[in-house]
Amino acid sequence: MSETARTVSGTPSGAALDVTGWTCPAPLRDRPRVVMGHGGGGALSAELVQHVFAPAFGGEVLAQLGDCASVTLGGARLAFSTDSYVVRPLFFPGGSIGDLAVNGTVNDLAMSGARAAYLSCGFILEEGVEISVVARVAEALGAAARAAGVEVATGDTKVVEAGHGDGIYLNTAGIGLIPDGVDLRPQRVVPGDVVIVSGEIGLHGVAIMSVREGLGFGVEIESDCAPLGGLVQAMLAVTPDLHVLRDPTRGGLAAALNEIAAASGTGVVVHEGRVPVPEAVGNACAILGLDPFYVANEGKLVAFVPRRHADAVLDAMHAHPLGRRATVIGEAVEAHPGLVVARTGLGGTRVVDLPIGEQLPRIC
């Protein structure tokens, strides 16, 4: 018998395997309990929302099922969003859980065209975490808010027993004003729209994995965590007639494109060779068996823009520090409605499906 046949993960054949700590990134769909994939932003997450939360909560606003809700209050159009952050580790190349908490919510608001104004912040602390660590996170969060031009207006703190948390979890909610004439939603996408991505993909997810697992890829990969409000305002200054914006966080570019295709009823064609994947990210994904299309980003956006405005919008993005690597990667089409396909360098096509679970858990 070969060594491979006699052992599984270092356990001799015949010995009992301890699988209690194992998780599966793509578990079976029909499960009676929550699995890690339910938090991955893919098909399992969508099913949890559609079959558990949406029926329980109801309401026309929630039915939009966007990362950010658009509501009218006192004659003003407000964007309202909330998000929770459970990233591990708390500090990583290019940012921290504090930076994520601000930029993630600010970016969700920006995807509706809103100018973010105020945030709330909830700290869930595990008993035993060092006060100095809490202070570092709070300082990072405050600095990120100032850089994004928003004010942390209210907050809350809770403590859970040791062993019932992971140091620090954060929740932020935000509100902002949506300018008149701006209507960003996937239902406005039509065949012929140009698909633009604002820069290189996959940096955040690979940065988290590199420090979490102690992996060295020959070069330090930093998260792209950044507030996108200024970039969006530069795009809207060219034309308010953008059709939809989306920040490809959990589930990456693939999840964002699939959600837009499904909601708009159009097909999406992506030219694989045009998608900007940094060499370091591509190499890391090859080593880890990951697809960069599914790796999370925290400082990028995807835009569906009417073709007549595409060149002007792209020029405006190139003039902004966070859009210098912006590029056209594809278009919306009438064929295969609701489906995303990538055209490969060899002239073939492959389906870019919505992920079931998640390749990298706990990345935001």
Side-chain angles (χ1 to χ4, degrees):
M1 182 182 294
S2 70
E3 184 66 20
T4 301
R6 287 190 292 107
T7 63
V8 178
S9 299
T11 301
S13 178
L17 285 173
D18 181 9
V19 298
T20 55
W22 290 15
T23 61
C24 179
L28 296 175
R29 304 282 285 272
D30 187 15
R31 295 289 294 266
R33 298 179 186 275
V34 170
V35 296
M36 290 299 294
H38 282 110
L44 287 175
S45 294
E47 289 174 1
L48 190 65
V49 171
Q50 292 168 2
H51 298 301
V52 177
F53 299 132
F57 302 156
E60 293 181 4
V61 176
L62 183 65
Q64 301 171 18
L65 291 182
D67 288 339
C68 177
S70 175
V71 298
T72 301
L73 187 64
R77 292 179 66 213
L78 297 178
F80 180 33
S81 183
T82 187
D83 212 337
S84 299
Y85 300 87
V86 297
V87 65
R88 178 169 58 87
L90 298 175
F91 302 92
F92 47 83
S96 71
I97 191 173
D99 300 285
L100 280 177
V102 171
N103 293 336
T105 297
V106 165
N107 291 348
D108 283 345
L109 295 172
M111 296 307 104
S112 71
R115 297 177 181 270
Y118 297 102
L119 299 180
S120 70
C121 181
F123 275 73
I124 297 91
L125 308 176
E126 182 184 16
E127 180 186 22
V129 67
E130 288 140 348
I131 296 295
S132 61
V133 173
V134 179
R136 283 182 65 195
V137 171
E139 289 166 2
L141 192 151
R146 289 187 290 274
V150 295
E151 180 179 347
V152 179
T154 186
D156 182 52
T157 304
K158 293 292 188 296
V159 178
V160 298
E161 298 90 340
H164 290 264
D166 196 5
I168 300 174
Y169 297 149
L170 294 179
N171 172 273
T172 48
I175 58 173
L177 284 172
I178 302 175
D180 292 338
V182 173
D183 183 16
L184 300 176
R185 49 193 174 88
Q187 291 78 12
R188 295 194 64 216
V189 171
V190 295
D193 281 357
V194 171
V195 182
I196 301 174
V197 66
S198 64
E200 297 174 325
I201 67 168
L203 290 164
H204 177 70
V206 173
I208 295 295
M209 181 58 69
S210 67
V211 293
R212 181 186 298 173
E213 303 300 336
L215 301 174
F217 300 116
V219 60
E220 184 177 72
I221 299 173
E222 291 193 354
S223 169
D224 59 344
C225 184
L228 295 170
L231 176 61
V232 171
Q233 294 307 313
M235 297 166 67
L236 290 173
V238 172
T239 175
D241 188 29
L242 306 179
H243 284 171
V244 68
L245 302 177
R246 188 64 56 90
D247 55 335
T249 53
R250 294 178 305 168
L253 179 64
L257 293 177
N258 272 277
E259 290 167 3
I260 293 170
S264 64
T266 64
V268 176
V269 174
V270 175
H271 301 276
E272 197 169 58
R274 299 182 190 173
V275 178
V277 179
E279 182 179 3
V281 169
N283 292 340
C285 287
I287 293 170
L288 298 172
L290 303 177
D291 184 338
F293 278 41
Y294 293 91
V295 178
N297 313 271
E298 288 292 345
K300 300 296 185 297
L301 64 81
V302 178
F304 281 65
V305 180
R307 189 171 296 275
R308 65 184 180 277
H309 299 310
D311 288 343
V313 170
L314 199 59
D315 287 343
M317 296 176 76
H318 288 159
H320 191 278
L322 295 179
R324 287 174 181 159
R325 296 297 304 274
T327 186
V328 174
I329 62 169
E331 55 275 333
V333 297
E334 291 184 8
H336 50 77
L339 192 67
V340 180
V341 301
R343 289 184 178 162
T344 68
L346 297 176
T349 60
R350 67 180 179 97
V351 175
V352 181
D353 205 356
L354 188 68
I356 299 297
E358 60 183 329
Q359 295 183 342
L360 305 174
R362 301 281 302 278
I363 46 80
C364 65

mmCIF file with all atom_site columns, all heavy atoms in Angstrom, residues 187-200:
data_model
loop_
_atom_site.group_PDB
_atom_site.id
_atom_site.type_symbol
_atom_site.label_atom_id
_atom_site.label_alt_id
_atom_site.label_comp_id
_atom_site.label_asym_id
_atom_site.label_entity_id
_atom_site.label_seq_id
_atom_site.pdbx_PDB_ins_code
_atom_site.Cartn_x
_atom_site.Cartn_y
_atom_site.Cartn_z
_atom_site.occupancy
_atom_site.B_iso_or_equiv
_atom_site.pdbx_formal_charge
_atom_site.auth_seq_id
_atom_site.auth_comp_id
_atom_site.auth_asym_id
_atom_site.auth_atom_id
_atom_site.pdbx_PDB_model_num
ATOM 1   N N   . GLN A 1 187 ? -31.905 46.930 -12.676 1.00 0.00 ? 187 GLN A N   1
ATOM 2   C CA  . GLN A 1 187 ? -33.025 46.843 -13.611 1.00 0.00 ? 187 GLN A CA  1
ATOM 3   C C   . GLN A 1 187 ? -32.892 47.826 -14.775 1.00 0.00 ? 187 GLN A C   1
ATOM 4   O O   . GLN A 1 187 ? -33.593 47.703 -15.778 1.00 0.00 ? 187 GLN A O   1
ATOM 5   C CB  . GLN A 1 187 ? -34.343 47.081 -12.874 1.00 0.00 ? 187 GLN A CB  1
ATOM 6   C CG  . GLN A 1 187 ? -34.743 45.981 -11.907 1.00 0.00 ? 187 GLN A CG  1
ATOM 7   C CD  . GLN A 1 187 ? -33.984 46.040 -10.589 1.00 0.00 ? 187 GLN A CD  1
ATOM 8   O OE1 . GLN A 1 187 ? -33.300 47.030 -10.294 1.00 0.00 ? 187 GLN A OE1 1
ATOM 9   N NE2 . GLN A 1 187 ? -34.113 44.995 -9.768  1.00 0.00 ? 187 GLN A NE2 1
ATOM 10  N N   . ARG A 1 188 ? -31.971 48.774 -14.671 1.00 0.00 ? 188 ARG A N   1
ATOM 11  C CA  . ARG A 1 188 ? -31.788 49.743 -15.750 1.00 0.00 ? 188 ARG A CA  1
ATOM 12  C C   . ARG A 1 188 ? -30.795 49.249 -16.807 1.00 0.00 ? 188 ARG A C   1
ATOM 13  O O   . ARG A 1 188 ? -30.646 49.882 -17.853 1.00 0.00 ? 188 ARG A O   1
ATOM 14  C CB  . ARG A 1 188 ? -31.298 51.083 -15.185 1.00 0.00 ? 188 ARG A CB  1
ATOM 15  C CG  . ARG A 1 188 ? -32.309 51.785 -14.283 1.00 0.00 ? 188 ARG A CG  1
ATOM 16  C CD  . ARG A 1 188 ? -31.896 53.227 -14.042 1.00 0.00 ? 188 ARG A CD  1
ATOM 17  N NE  . ARG A 1 188 ? -31.914 53.974 -15.293 1.00 0.00 ? 188 ARG A NE  1
ATOM 18  C CZ  . ARG A 1 188 ? -31.030 54.933 -15.608 1.00 0.00 ? 188 ARG A CZ  1
ATOM 19  N NH1 . ARG A 1 188 ? -30.037 55.211 -14.775 1.00 0.00 ? 188 ARG A NH1 1
ATOM 20  N NH2 . ARG A 1 188 ? -31.122 55.577 -16.756 1.00 0.00 ? 188 ARG A NH2 1
ATOM 21  N N   . VAL A 1 189 ? -30.111 48.155 -16.540 1.00 0.00 ? 189 VAL A N   1
ATOM 22  C CA  . VAL A 1 189 ? -29.140 47.626 -17.498 1.00 0.00 ? 189 VAL A CA  1
ATOM 23  C C   . VAL A 1 189 ? -29.868 47.148 -18.750 1.00 0.00 ? 189 VAL A C   1
ATOM 24  O O   . VAL A 1 189 ? -30.913 46.491 -18.677 1.00 0.00 ? 189 VAL A O   1
ATOM 25  C CB  . VAL A 1 189 ? -28.335 46.473 -16.870 1.00 0.00 ? 189 VAL A CB  1
ATOM 26  C CG1 . VAL A 1 189 ? -27.478 45.771 -17.916 1.00 0.00 ? 189 VAL A CG1 1
ATOM 27  C CG2 . VAL A 1 189 ? -27.470 47.008 -15.732 1.00 0.00 ? 189 VAL A CG2 1
ATOM 28  N N   . VAL A 1 190 ? -29.314 47.471 -19.930 1.00 0.00 ? 190 VAL A N   1
ATOM 29  C CA  . VAL A 1 190 ? -29.888 47.046 -21.212 1.00 0.00 ? 190 VAL A CA  1
ATOM 30  C C   . VAL A 1 190 ? -28.762 46.484 -22.078 1.00 0.00 ? 190 VAL A C   1
ATOM 31  O O   . VAL A 1 190 ? -27.589 46.817 -21.894 1.00 0.00 ? 190 VAL A O   1
ATOM 32  C CB  . VAL A 1 190 ? -30.580 48.222 -21.942 1.00 0.00 ? 190 VAL A CB  1
ATOM 33  C CG1 . VAL A 1 190 ? -31.775 48.720 -21.155 1.00 0.00 ? 190 VAL A CG1 1
ATOM 34  C CG2 . VAL A 1 190 ? -29.592 49.353 -22.204 1.00 0.00 ? 190 VAL A CG2 1
ATOM 35  N N   . PRO A 1 191 ? -29.111 45.612 -23.026 1.00 0.00 ? 191 PRO A N   1
ATOM 36  C CA  . PRO A 1 191 ? -28.090 45.114 -23.953 1.00 0.00 ? 191 PRO A CA  1
ATOM 37  C C   . PRO A 1 191 ? -27.370 46.268 -24.645 1.00 0.00 ? 191 PRO A C   1
ATOM 38  O O   . PRO A 1 191 ? -27.989 47.254 -25.050 1.00 0.00 ? 191 PRO A O   1
ATOM 39  C CB  . PRO A 1 191 ? -28.905 44.279 -24.948 1.00 0.00 ? 191 PRO A CB  1
ATOM 40  C CG  . PRO A 1 191 ? -30.101 43.830 -24.167 1.00 0.00 ? 191 PRO A CG  1
ATOM 41  C CD  . PRO A 1 191 ? -30.428 44.984 -23.263 1.00 0.00 ? 191 PRO A CD  1
ATOM 42  N N   . GLY A 1 192 ? -26.068 46.139 -24.754 1.00 0.00 ? 192 GLY A N   1
ATOM 43  C CA  . GLY A 1 192 ? -25.249 47.204 -25.330 1.00 0.00 ? 192 GLY A CA  1
ATOM 44  C C   . GLY A 1 192 ? -24.493 47.998 -24.292 1.00 0.00 ? 192 GLY A C   1
ATOM 45  O O   . GLY A 1 192 ? -23.515 48.684 -24.627 1.00 0.00 ? 192 GLY A O   1
ATOM 46  N N   . ASP A 1 193 ? -24.918 47.926 -23.025 1.00 0.00 ? 193 ASP A N   1
ATOM 47  C CA  . ASP A 1 193 ? -24.178 48.613 -21.965 1.00 0.00 ? 193 ASP A CA  1
ATOM 48  C C   . ASP A 1 193 ? -22.754 48.079 -21.883 1.00 0.00 ? 193 ASP A C   1
ATOM 49  O O   . ASP A 1 193 ? -22.507 46.882 -22.058 1.00 0.00 ? 193 ASP A O   1
ATOM 50  C CB  . ASP A 1 193 ? -24.859 48.418 -20.608 1.00 0.00 ? 193 ASP A CB  1
ATOM 51  C CG  . ASP A 1 193 ? -26.054 49.332 -20.406 1.00 0.00 ? 193 ASP A CG  1
ATOM 52  O OD1 . ASP A 1 193 ? -26.331 50.160 -21.296 1.00 0.00 ? 193 ASP A OD1 1
ATOM 53  O OD2 . ASP A 1 193 ? -26.723 49.214 -19.358 1.00 0.00 ? 193 ASP A OD2 1
ATOM 54  N N   . VAL A 1 194 ? -21.830 48.980 -21.604 1.00 0.00 ? 194 VAL A N   1
ATOM 55  C CA  . VAL A 1 194 ? -20.420 48.633 -21.467 1.00 0.00 ? 194 VAL A CA  1
ATOM 56  C C   . VAL A 1 194 ? -20.128 48.333 -19.996 1.00 0.00 ? 194 VAL A C   1
ATOM 57  O O   . VAL A 1 194 ? -20.604 49.045 -19.106 1.00 0.00 ? 194 VAL A O   1
ATOM 58  C CB  . VAL A 1 194 ? -19.535 49.787 -21.969 1.00 0.00 ? 194 VAL A CB  1
ATOM 59  C CG1 . VAL A 1 194 ? -18.069 49.542 -21.643 1.00 0.00 ? 194 VAL A CG1 1
ATOM 60  C CG2 . VAL A 1 194 ? -19.714 49.958 -23.468 1.00 0.00 ? 194 VAL A CG2 1
ATOM 61  N N   . VAL A 1 195 ? -19.357 47.278 -19.737 1.00 0.00 ? 195 VAL A N   1
ATOM 62  C CA  . VAL A 1 195 ? -18.978 46.898 -18.377 1.00 0.00 ? 195 VAL A CA  1
ATOM 63  C C   . VAL A 1 195 ? -17.561 47.373 -18.099 1.00 0.00 ? 195 VAL A C   1
ATOM 64  O O   . VAL A 1 195 ? -16.625 47.028 -18.836 1.00 0.00 ? 195 VAL A O   1
ATOM 65  C CB  . VAL A 1 195 ? -19.066 45.370 -18.176 1.00 0.00 ? 195 VAL A CB  1
ATOM 66  C CG1 . VAL A 1 195 ? -18.713 45.011 -16.735 1.00 0.00 ? 195 VAL A CG1 1
ATOM 67  C CG2 . VAL A 1 195 ? -20.456 44.858 -18.528 1.00 0.00 ? 195 VAL A CG2 1
ATOM 68  N N   . ILE A 1 196 ? -17.401 48.177 -17.060 1.00 0.00 ? 196 ILE A N   1
ATOM 69  C CA  . ILE A 1 196 ? -16.104 48.732 -16.685 1.00 0.00 ? 196 ILE A CA  1
ATOM 70  C C   . ILE A 1 196 ? -15.758 48.284 -15.268 1.00 0.00 ? 196 ILE A C   1
ATOM 71  O O   . ILE A 1 196 ? -16.607 48.321 -14.375 1.00 0.00 ? 196 ILE A O   1
ATOM 72  C CB  . ILE A 1 196 ? -16.119 50.276 -16.734 1.00 0.00 ? 196 ILE A CB  1
ATOM 73  C CG1 . ILE A 1 196 ? -16.466 50.772 -18.145 1.00 0.00 ? 196 ILE A CG1 1
ATOM 74  C CG2 . ILE A 1 196 ? -14.784 50.854 -16.280 1.00 0.00 ? 196 ILE A CG2 1
ATOM 75  C CD1 . ILE A 1 196 ? -16.652 52.289 -18.221 1.00 0.00 ? 196 ILE A CD1 1
ATOM 76  N N   . VAL A 1 197 ? -14.518 47.871 -15.052 1.00 0.00 ? 197 VAL A N   1
ATOM 77  C CA  . VAL A 1 197 ? -14.030 47.604 -13.704 1.00 0.00 ? 197 VAL A CA  1
ATOM 78  C C   . VAL A 1 197 ? -12.977 48.663 -13.394 1.00 0.00 ? 197 VAL A C   1
ATOM 79  O O   . VAL A 1 197 ? -12.203 49.063 -14.268 1.00 0.00 ? 197 VAL A O   1
ATOM 80  C CB  . VAL A 1 197 ? -13.459 46.170 -13.570 1.00 0.00 ? 197 VAL A CB  1
ATOM 81  C CG1 . VAL A 1 197 ? -12.203 45.992 -14.407 1.00 0.00 ? 197 VAL A CG1 1
ATOM 82  C CG2 . VAL A 1 197 ? -13.175 45.823 -12.113 1.00 0.00 ? 197 VAL A CG2 1
ATOM 83  N N   . SER A 1 198 ? -12.963 49.144 -12.144 1.00 0.00 ? 198 SER A N   1
ATOM 84  C CA  . SER A 1 198 ? -12.158 50.322 -11.815 1.00 0.00 ? 198 SER A CA  1
ATOM 85  C C   . SER A 1 198 ? -10.682 50.034 -11.605 1.00 0.00 ? 198 SER A C   1
ATOM 86  O O   . SER A 1 198 ? -9.886  50.977 -11.478 1.00 0.00 ? 198 SER A O   1
ATOM 87  C CB  . SER A 1 198 ? -12.720 51.012 -10.565 1.00 0.00 ? 198 SER A CB  1
ATOM 88  O OG  . SER A 1 198 ? -12.616 50.162 -9.433  1.00 0.00 ? 198 SER A OG  1
ATOM 89  N N   . GLY A 1 199 ? -10.277 48.760 -11.558 1.00 0.00 ? 199 GLY A N   1
ATOM 90  C CA  . GLY A 1 199 ? -8.866  48.467 -11.358 1.00 0.00 ? 199 GLY A CA  1
ATOM 91  C C   . GLY A 1 199 ? -8.611  46.993 -11.133 1.00 0.00 ? 199 GLY A C   1
ATOM 92  O O   . GLY A 1 199 ? -9.481  46.149 -11.396 1.00 0.00 ? 199 GLY A O   1
ATOM 93  N N   . GLU A 1 200 ? -7.428  46.681 -10.655 1.00 0.00 ? 200 GLU A N   1
ATOM 94  C CA  . GLU A 1 200 ? -6.990  45.302 -10.489 1.00 0.00 ? 200 GLU A CA  1
ATOM 95  C C   . GLU A 1 200 ? -7.801  44.580 -9.424  1.00 0.00 ? 200 GLU A C   1
ATOM 96  O O   . GLU A 1 200 ? -8.072  45.132 -8.346  1.00 0.00 ? 200 GLU A O   1
ATOM 97  C CB  . GLU A 1 200 ? -5.509  45.270 -10.129 1.00 0.00 ? 200 GLU A CB  1
ATOM 98  C CG  . GLU A 1 200 ? -4.618  45.836 -11.225 1.00 0.00 ? 200 GLU A CG  1
ATOM 99  C CD  . GLU A 1 200 ? -3.170  45.930 -10.818 1.00 0.00 ? 200 GLU A CD  1
ATOM 100 O OE1 . GLU A 1 200 ? -2.914  46.212 -9.632  1.00 0.00 ? 200 GLU A OE1 1
ATOM 101 O OE2 . GLU A 1 200 ? -2.298  45.741 -11.681 1.00 0.00 ? 200 GLU A OE2 1
#
